[in-house]
Amino acid sequence: MTESTYRIQGATGEWEVVIGLEVHAQITTESKLFSGAATAFGAEPNTQVSLIDAAMPGMLPVPNMECIRQAVRTGMAIEAQINKWSRFDRKNYFYADLPQGYQISQLYHPLVGEGQIEVILDEKDPNSPRKTIGVERIHVEQDAGKLMHDQHPTMSYVDLNRSGVALMEIVSRPDMRSPAEAGAYLSKLRTILRYVGSCDGNMDQGSMRADVNVSVRRPGEELGTRTETKNVNSVRFVMQAIEHEANRQVDVLEAGGKIVQETRLFDPDSGSTRSMRSKENAHDYRYFPDPDLLPLELDDAFLEECRASLPELPGAKLKRYEEELGLSAYNAAVLTAEAETARWFEELLSEGAKAQKKSEADVAKASANWLMSELFGALNRIGRHLDDSPVTPAQGAELLALVADGTISGTIAKQVFEIMLETGDAAGKIVEEKGLKQTSDTGAIEAVISKILADNGDKVEQYKGGKEALFGFFVGQTMKAMQGKANPQIVNELLKKALA
Amino acid sequence: MTNLTDLTVAEIRDGVAGGDFSAREVASAFNVAVADARALNAYIVETPDHALAAADQADADRASGTLKPLSGVPLGMKDLFATQGVQTSAASKMLEGFKPEYESTVSGKLWDAGAGMLGKLNLDQFAMGSSNESSYFGSVISPWKGADGAQLTPGGSSGGSSAALAARLCPGATGTDTGGSIRQPAAYTGTAGIKPTYGRCSRWGVVAFASSLDQPGAMARTVKDNAILLEAMAGFDAKDATSLDLPVPNWEAALSGDLKGKKVGIPKEYRPDGLNTEIAALWDKGVAWLKDAGAEVVEVSLPHTKYALATYYIIAPAEASSNLARYDGVRYGLRNLPDGAGLQDMYAATRAEGFGDEVKRRILIGTYVLSAGFYDAYYTQAGKVRTLIQQDFMKAFEQCDVLLTPTAPSAAFPLGGNNADPLEMYLNDVFTVPASLAGLPAMSVPGGLSADGLPLGLQIIGRPLDEQGVLNAALALEERAGFTARAEKWW
């Protein structure tokens, strides 16, 4: 564990920043936490609302076990304590986006207890400091609806589509000491959630948002009073919010003021935070166990299924890529940063090993290099993502196999790939139709070489006179005459023989 | 031929099946009786067409040999159960005019069993009360009258149900019981009612008062009718997370008033100093009747009984304060939006206008006991005491099969008689609340009349899931009490 040395230089000296994050992650499920209503994003207002979500009289919540399962799997992915006995509580407050007048949450007995996440502050740097951030708990709770203030001059409209959607609240320990650490934690958490499949991590759609707790203190001294900045919805904004809020607190303290414990809002346009509600005006939520729900008791079979269904997680995967596939730390980090990238890469490996009748380790380096340089470059150019790549892993593997077995050269492979991107055709078909096959026909190559040497008698003389650099010229001429399809190794051998 | 409205549920069911009369004749007779008894204010909404449609279906089913368990039986539905397309008000201004698009599980099961609905029965507002005086639609007036001719309460909260049964405005009715709301009204009106084990009947579609205590149950004039109705109402419902996933026993078929080999416990703490002598005398009679039925009678102790009422009046209001938060004027029901008002003003105006005094009182108590700084002293403590009360019962049931107690500390009191002091009113629940806190099945049956000629009830409390034991002991009482008194018609 490496301690961060991030400090704010105040007029009166150095200040240390202490950060904790409460991340709300929408659980990926077809239906809501306590009702059968759908959860798809972007539906017409109030089209995904059950009688329960609208809190009609006499309606009752029934837990959706798929939501519980996903939260348990998430807990397992961060090596957290899974509580086999947990309970739902009601958090009572009045607001127009909260039809029941309470949110069903878990205060006293959360589903998931202590866990941890290891973050690498700079993934491109193999020697980057690593740090373990503690996770205090994960509990599940209902989301609220949404108010729309721009539909009517004097009224606000309510959209209850989101009302009752399942959230995980993932509460970190106040273990982060810099905006960069908080950013790395949030990114890593997002990666884990996407690997596990418990949250899509789409921060721009609100599927993941963070409440940022910030305080400042003199290094080594007691914790300062914290503020909570609500609903920050990107990694960059979280880092900005921390930076702004920490500096604001330093300014207040250095001017002799006191930090007020309060809830603040982040304004993405100015990158600053502003006060929303002070502690004196804080709600008394009157939490108590929800009497409509029995305690949640999980049996071993359920937990076993959750564990068995966990995918290989990013940390383990990165290690395996380095140790078993022999990839560089950087390549392994890039390929494991997103579940989708790793999935694509592993399919490419598996298809490649099949096509070349080799082990996955044997094809790993070439596959990684091609994916990271050729494919990523091309996707970037045409503005697409891996999940809608015009070239499939099987097609990529076929292309790489053609290079590996000498059917085409690396140069020709680049041309073939361009055609694949445009047409979606298979590499073999393109090579066949365009006649791009590399030739190893020594007779044909020898015929070309004799002609070139005959046409360039002067240069042959110079070469034989000691100007060996001219060898490259003869190779180039030969390849040109053969339209790039000659096997370069054979060209080399035959040229050397002919010039001897 | 007897008056059709005097028949029991069983007699109507069997008479329709046997062709003694048509279901339409029965429904029509009750429709007339209901329309003729508006002075009692037992029904908030009358639904004669619903009753007739079900009756016609029953008559058709008889012709085609496809009769159902309750074919031809018209019922009264407590207006706490959501009924599709029919006002479901919980006797509140807040929900006046609210017509749900859904049917509660329990009412749906009754209609599926062939029953019809005569109307929605009056109750204490949001089922909060013991006298039916907190209804926004006015008090229900008991068909029974005091010796001085005073108008009496039919009990509460299921006072519309008990009054309608006693006045022969329905042969059976639904009730809900949170702290005694089925048993106490039954006792006050000479009728019978059972609250089953918590979780037997689905709460889905029942306007919530206190979720951990609310339990739908049956009300009728005989024990057998209670068994018949409860069989149709009970059963697992996946839509209620507290519903019991157990088969419904055939309670009617297993009814037996022979208690040989059974032990009946008499909890000594239910006989406080100053217990009404008539109640004490009736209780003694009950003991003798159960002995006569073959039971052995033993004294048992429920030491935490004295804390039950206080515990109940913390837990029930706490849950109510949260359950009733949804009535905010935003989506349905009453909305009071003063000129230029904001959201908070709308909440305040709507809730001030839509809730009656008793409802507000309980919301305030509940909000208080859940507040920061008071939660542990009240709510947490009440939860612990509730566990102790449950353990008291479990210990007692090691010595006996059922418990016999009075249902209420007195006969029905005059309307307005207890209104000055809410605490006096709460004392009506003293014998019924403990079984509610423990989630136990419990039933009230008529035992006799007071010196003033008013009905008095006896309560049987049973082990969890032992509705059969409760019904059988109640049957033994019923067979020996020979209760035939009825209120003279004055309405």
Side-chain angles (χ1 to χ4, degrees):
Chain A
M1 183 149 150
T2 313
E3 276 304 322
S4 164
T5 51
Y6 178 88
R7 295 282 186 269
I8 290 178
Q9 302 297 330
T12 60
E14 286 196 334
W15 296 84
E16 184 181 37
V17 189
V18 177
I19 304 150
L21 293 182
E22 291 170 25
V23 175
H24 294 265
Q26 180 179 331
I27 299 176
T28 306
T29 52
E30 301 283 316
S31 52
K32 296 182 179 180
L33 181 53
F34 295 110
S35 80
T39 58
F41 177 78
E44 283 293 304
N46 295 312
T47 56
Q48 299 185 343
V49 185
S50 77
L51 296 167
I52 297 165
D53 308 322
M56 300 302 283
M59 292 301 100
L60 299 172
V62 175
N64 174 351
M65 284 310 285
E66 178 57 18
C67 299
I68 304 304
R69 184 175 164 271
Q70 292 293 12
V72 167
R73 293 173 74 246
T74 304
M76 288 172 167
I78 60 164
E79 297 159 46
Q81 158 87 31
I82 307 298
N83 295 321
K84 289 169 81 173
W85 193 97
S86 67
R87 202 172 61 184
F88 290 102
D89 301 303
R90 290 185 183 176
K91 176 182 182 178
N92 295 285
Y93 65 96
F94 284 91
Y95 204 53
D97 66 4
L98 191 73
Q100 295 169 139
Y102 54 84
Q103 176 196 33
I104 306 179
S105 181
Q106 295 188 300
L107 175 70
Y108 297 108
H109 298 279
L111 181 59
V112 177
E114 294 270 351
Q116 56 185 32
I117 292 177
E118 188 186 54
V119 298
I120 301 171
L121 295 182
D122 180 2
E123 290 198 325
K124 293 187 181 178
D125 173 7
N127 300 315
S128 161
R130 294 174 181 225
K131 182 168 178 178
T132 300
I133 309 292
V135 172
E136 183 186 315
R137 57 191 278 156
I138 301 177
H139 64 255
V140 290
E141 62 184 23
Q142 297 175 304
D143 205 348
K146 193 172 81 180
L147 290 190
M148 297 179 285
H149 301 291
D150 54 357
Q151 310 281 311
H152 188 278
T154 60
M155 313 254 249
S156 293
Y157 281 35
V158 188
D159 175 9
L160 296 180
N161 282 353
R162 230 173 54 193
S163 166
V165 163
L167 301 178
M168 287 178 279
E169 182 169 330
I170 304 159
V171 183
S172 85
R173 291 269 169 212
D175 285 350
M176 290 156 277
R177 295 288 178 270
S178 70
E181 284 183 15
Y185 167 80
L186 194 56
S187 299
K188 184 64 180 285
L189 177 60
R190 182 172 176 275
T191 299
I192 293 171
L193 295 176
R194 288 170 58 87
Y195 261 79
V196 170
S198 58
C199 172
D200 64 22
N202 291 334
M203 298 191 79
D204 51 350
Q205 292 180 359
S207 311
M208 215 180 140
R209 46 193 198 266
D211 296 346
V212 185
N213 288 294
V214 174
S215 63
V216 297
R217 64 177 174 189
R218 297 293 188 187
E221 287 187 2
E222 300 232 325
L223 286 175
T225 303
R226 68 187 165 84
T227 64
E228 180 180 28
T229 304
K230 286 279 201 193
N231 282 333
V232 188
N233 67 352
S234 83
V235 173
R236 192 164 58 89
F237 290 161
V238 164
M239 292 167 68
Q240 275 181 17
I242 293 167
E243 193 157 352
H244 176 273
E245 181 56 20
N247 279 289
R248 184 192 70 83
Q249 290 186 13
V250 167
D251 289 346
V252 169
L253 291 171
E254 293 200 326
K258 269 193 172 162
I259 301 303
V260 183
Q261 186 174 342
E262 62 181 354
T263 305
R264 299 181 69 84
L265 282 177
F266 177 70
D267 175 11
D269 294 329
S270 65
S272 63
T273 67
R274 62 186 156 83
S275 180
M276 185 171 118
R277 187 169 63 218
S278 75
K279 194 191 176 192
E280 288 71 49
N281 298 321
H283 296 293
D284 179 352
Y285 290 118
R286 291 170 284 123
Y287 279 98
F288 76 110
D290 191 323
D292 283 330
L293 295 163
L294 300 174
L296 193 58
E297 294 184 66
L298 305 178
D299 60 27
D300 291 334
F302 180 84
L303 295 183
E304 202 33 62
E305 188 284 323
C306 289
R307 199 173 293 285
S309 72
L310 277 184
E312 184 183 28
L313 294 164
K317 207 182 267 297
L318 187 137
K319 199 164 166 232
R320 180 167 66 84
Y321 282 11
E322 286 187 81
E323 291 174 4
E324 292 178 26
L325 300 180
L327 299 186
S328 70
Y330 174 67
N331 283 9
V334 170
L335 291 173
T336 54
E338 287 283 346
E340 176 58 17
T341 310
R343 191 196 62 75
W344 215 100
F345 174 64
E346 288 178 16
E347 208 176 321
L348 180 68
L349 275 190
S350 135
E351 293 287 341
K354 230 188 303 171
Q356 299 182 36
K357 299 194 171 57
K358 288 183 185 165
S359 75
E360 291 192 0
D362 287 336
V363 301
K365 272 187 199 162
S367 298
N369 288 336
W370 177 78
L371 177 56
M372 290 175 59
S373 53
E374 300 298 324
L375 185 61
F376 278 174
L379 291 176
N380 231 346
R381 210 166 59 232
I382 62 177
R384 295 237 214 161
H385 291 289
L386 206 51
D387 53 11
D388 62 350
S389 161
V391 174
T392 67
Q395 288 175 323
E398 185 191 348
L399 178 65
L400 290 173
L402 290 175
V403 177
D405 71 6
T407 307
I408 56 173
S409 66
T411 319
I412 292 289
K414 287 183 204 286
Q415 289 176 35
V416 174
F417 179 54
E418 289 304 322
I419 300 168
M420 289 167 71
L421 283 171
E422 270 169 42
T423 63
D425 282 345
K429 182 173 173 240
I430 294 167
V431 169
E432 200 60 50
E433 282 178 3
K434 306 254 171 190
L436 296 176
K437 223 177 207 164
Q438 179 167 267
T439 181
S440 303
D441 177 345
T442 48
I445 298 173
E446 275 168 347
V448 170
I449 287 176
S450 329
K451 183 167 185 303
I452 285 167
L453 296 188
D455 290 352
N456 296 284
D458 51 337
K459 294 210 168 61
V460 173
E461 284 311 311
Q462 287 170 19
Y463 176 80
K464 288 185 172 166
K467 203 167 177 189
E468 289 188 6
L470 279 167
F471 189 77
F473 166 79
F474 297 119
V475 172
Q477 288 298 306
T478 309
M479 292 304 281
K480 193 175 165 191
M482 306 261 335
Q483 292 161 311
K485 289 178 288 183
N487 182 323
Q489 228 174 325
I490 295 173
V491 169
N492 273 335
E493 282 168 23
L494 294 178
L495 262 177
K496 272 185 189 147
K497 219 193 281 172
L499 288 168
Chain B
M1 191 169 135
T2 49
N3 193 338
L4 290 174
T5 56
D6 286 342
L7 299 177
T8 65
V9 168
E11 287 165 349
I12 291 169
R13 177 191 65 184
D14 299 343
V16 166
D20 301 341
F21 39 77
S22 71
R24 179 166 257 272
E25 287 173 295
V26 174
S28 301
F30 276 108
N31 283 341
V32 169
V34 168
D36 184 44
R38 289 180 188 142
L40 299 180
N41 203 24
Y43 285 91
I44 295 173
V45 178
E46 295 168 14
T47 56
D49 293 342
H50 191 291
L52 289 175
D56 288 346
Q57 184 63 48
D59 289 331
D61 285 346
R62 176 176 185 266
S64 61
T66 52
L67 282 171
K68 301 183 187 109
L70 290 176
S71 285
V73 179
L75 299 173
M77 183 61 59
K78 186 176 183 179
D79 199 22
L80 203 62
F81 292 84
T83 44
Q84 192 173 0
V86 178
Q87 174 177 286
T88 299
S89 71
S92 69
K93 183 170 192 184
M94 186 64 86
L95 288 177
E96 185 181 19
F98 172 68
K99 292 182 180 173
E101 291 177 20
Y102 48 94
E103 187 77 37
S104 81
T105 298
V106 163
S107 57
K109 283 169 96 81
L110 288 168
W111 314 148
D112 288 347
M117 177 166 67
L118 291 161
K120 299 299 289 290
L121 291 162
N122 206 342
L123 65 149
D124 276 302
Q125 193 173 136
F126 284 101
M128 297 177 191
S130 307
S131 66
N132 220 299
E133 293 168 290
S134 72
S135 168
Y136 171 67
F137 300 96
S139 302
V140 177
I141 297 157
S142 176
W144 297 87
K145 284 203 167 183
D148 55 359
Q151 290 192 335
L152 302 179
T153 173
S157 68
S158 309
S161 305
S162 64
L165 285 163
R168 272 63 175 171
L169 310 181
C170 61
T174 56
T176 62
D177 192 314
T178 305
S181 283
I182 286 176
R183 293 161 284 162
Q184 181 254 27
Y188 281 3
T189 55
T191 61
I194 184 165
K195 174 196 96 72
T197 310
Y198 182 80
R200 271 285 191 205
C201 289
S202 170
R203 294 183 296 113
W204 194 89
V206 182
V207 176
F209 162 17
S211 309
S212 76
L213 296 156
D214 292 346
Q215 183 54 213
M219 298 178 76
R221 287 190 298 272
T222 68
V223 172
K224 182 178 181 179
D225 283 2
N226 271 284
I228 294 169
L229 292 176
L230 192 61
E231 256 179 66
M233 294 165 69
F236 174 63
D237 181 5
K239 292 187 288 188
D240 175 357
T242 61
S243 175
L244 293 167
D245 191 359
L246 293 169
V248 178
N250 195 338
W251 289 307
E252 183 194 4
L255 275 179
S256 163
D258 179 356
L259 302 185
K260 273 192 215 66
K262 297 287 178 193
K263 283 187 183 172
V264 176
I266 307 299
K268 61 180 180 193
E269 290 80 4
Y270 280 51
R271 196 183 285 269
D273 292 342
L275 176 65
N276 177 316
T277 51
E278 285 186 325
I279 299 292
L282 176 72
W283 195 3
D284 292 340
K285 262 194 217 170
V287 169
W289 289 332
L290 293 182
K291 279 183 183 162
D292 182 59
E296 185 188 333
V297 173
V298 295
E299 189 188 76
V300 297
S301 175
L302 300 169
H304 296 93
T305 298
K306 60 177 175 246
Y307 303 114
L309 211 52
T311 301
Y312 175 84
Y313 277 98
I314 291 169
I315 291 173
E319 294 181 11
S321 71
S322 178
N323 281 338
L324 270 62
R326 64 189 55 199
Y327 307 109
D328 57 7
V330 174
R331 298 168 311 287
Y332 52 79
L334 181 74
R335 170 184 289 188
N336 184 334
L337 183 65
D339 270 352
L343 186 62
Q344 295 296 331
D345 307 312
M346 183 181 86
Y347 288 152
T350 300
R351 291 167 67 81
E353 183 186 348
F355 291 140
D357 287 347
E358 185 59 29
V359 174
K360 285 177 191 161
R361 182 177 296 126
R362 298 198 192 190
I363 289 174
L364 288 173
I365 293 171
T367 303
Y368 178 80
V369 299
L370 290 177
S371 296
F374 301 103
Y375 178 81
D376 284 336
Y378 289 105
Y379 189 81
T380 307
Q381 192 70 4
K384 289 179 188 166
V385 177
R386 184 178 188 173
T387 303
L388 292 174
I389 289 168
Q390 286 165 340
Q391 288 170 354
D392 279 359
F393 279 109
M394 292 308 112
K395 266 184 220 148
F397 284 129
E398 288 168 8
Q399 295 166 260
C400 63
D401 299 292
V402 292
L403 299 166
L404 173 70
T405 78
T407 308
S410 69
F413 49 87
L415 288 172
N418 266 342
N419 286 353
D421 184 355
L423 287 181
E424 280 295 316
M425 188 73 90
Y426 295 169
L427 287 174
N428 277 288
D429 303 333
V430 66
F431 296 135
T432 49
V433 151
S436 291
L437 287 169
L440 301 172
M443 178 164 200
S444 179
V445 280
L449 294 177
S450 70
D452 287 343
L454 296 179
L456 300 173
L458 285 168
Q459 175 179 232
I460 299 287
I461 302 170
R463 293 194 178 100
L465 304 177
D466 188 22
E467 284 81 5
Q468 193 72 62
V470 171
L471 288 161
N472 286 355
L475 182 64
L477 291 172
E478 180 182 72
E479 286 170 349
R480 284 157 185 83
F483 187 89
T484 54
R486 61 186 284 183
E488 195 107 4
K489 185 173 185 304
W490 55 263
W491 53 90

